[in-house]
Amino acid sequence: MRNFVAFSEGRVYKRAMSALSYEIFFARFYEDLSYSEFERVIKSVELHLEYRWSKSKAKHLEVRTLVDSYRAKLASQVVSSVYPDEVPKPPAEFTEGAVKQVTINAYERDPKARAACIDEYGAICQVCNFNFEAKYGAMAKGFIHVHHKIDIATVGESYQVDPINDLVPVCPNSHAMLHAEKPAMSIEKLRKIMEIKA
């Protein structure tokens, strides 16, 4: 019970658990908890692993691998891009570093819907087949944007999203090109444009 209290608070706990227990609990926590709550669980387990290492030099590789895999899942969920409207051309002089305030509307995304979309299609661009992990190695594992086939901005309210039929993984370049039209162009149309240019 003490471990669960530590999980919820993101702090170290000292009682050991089996690797199988971690697998079961992580799968359930990942499904049931919010992003920030699950982040606290991960932090708590990482602190526990540091504690165990300081006491016995035990590496607990199975648990470390599990933590790393869920860390990667969390990292893939927070990738988000904003495509604001273009602004007029700047004057001929180029000054950088000035502070300015920017106000935008950001639409809430469900990280579990994103994860389900990537589980279905993989972290590969469905327009140009670009795979970040293949190009950049392990540091890019799971990196991809997830595009809403129907612009959230045109819906104007929250709605039930189907991660398989409403979402599609795309690379940042293809994502930007999809949003070059308003409303966003279809995946099929952008693929045809690429075929013509090839």
Side-chain angles (χ1 to χ4, degrees):
M1 195 60 171
R2 289 180 183 149
N3 289 3
F4 286 100
V5 173
F7 286 162
S8 68
E9 296 173 355
R11 61 180 174 77
V12 69
Y13 56 94
K14 298 179 180 176
R15 293 182 185 262
M17 291 173 29
S18 70
L20 179 59
S21 296
Y22 283 107
E23 285 182 37
I24 294 166
F25 291 135
F26 271 32
R28 187 60 188 264
F29 290 154
Y30 185 73
E31 288 297 317
D32 294 345
L33 300 180
S34 70
Y35 177 91
S36 58
E37 289 170 331
F38 190 69
E39 176 70 34
R40 282 196 293 271
V41 171
I42 294 284
K43 180 182 175 189
S44 181
V45 175
E46 288 174 331
L47 290 171
H48 174 74
L49 291 174
E50 288 174 20
Y51 168 79
R52 300 295 295 172
W53 175 256
S54 72
K55 294 297 179 190
S56 64
K57 300 296 183 228
K59 292 184 179 177
H60 299 286
L61 293 177
E62 286 180 271
V63 179
R64 170 50 61 195
T65 301
L66 190 64
V67 167
D68 290 344
S69 72
Y70 276 96
R71 249 298 159 224
K73 280 187 179 186
L74 287 179
S76 71
Q77 291 177 10
V78 297
V79 176
S80 174
S81 294
V82 176
Y83 298 96
D85 292 334
E86 292 293 323
V87 295
K89 285 186 178 181
E93 54 191 54
F94 302 99
T95 305
E96 293 184 340
V99 176
K100 67 178 180 177
Q101 183 176 3
V102 177
T103 304
I104 61 167
N105 290 329
Y107 294 91
E108 195 172 79
R109 265 72 167 183
D110 184 339
K112 291 178 184 169
R114 173 190 162 76
C117 172
I118 293 170
D119 284 346
E120 175 71 17
Y121 298 105
I124 298 168
C125 179
Q126 298 300 296
V127 175
C128 68
N129 293 317
F130 190 81
N131 181 327
F132 282 89
E133 184 179 9
K135 184 72 173 175
Y136 298 106
M139 74 174 190
K141 183 179 175 78
F143 183 86
I144 197 78
H145 285 195
V146 171
H147 172 68
H148 286 72
K149 291 180 181 177
I150 300 172
D151 279 349
I152 292 180
T154 64
V155 175
E157 59 186 21
S158 63
Y159 73 103
Q160 189 71 37
V161 67
D162 177 344
I164 309 307
N165 295 312
D166 296 341
L167 305 177
V168 61
V170 293
C171 72
N173 287 349
S174 294
H175 202 182
M177 293 301 98
L178 288 167
H179 286 280
E181 291 184 356
K182 291 187 191 242
M185 76 174 75
S186 69
I187 299 292
E188 295 73 22
K189 181 176 178 181
L190 187 55
R191 281 186 191 144
K192 285 179 184 168
I193 290 170
M194 291 181 69
E195 286 171 14
I196 292 166
K197 296 293 180 187

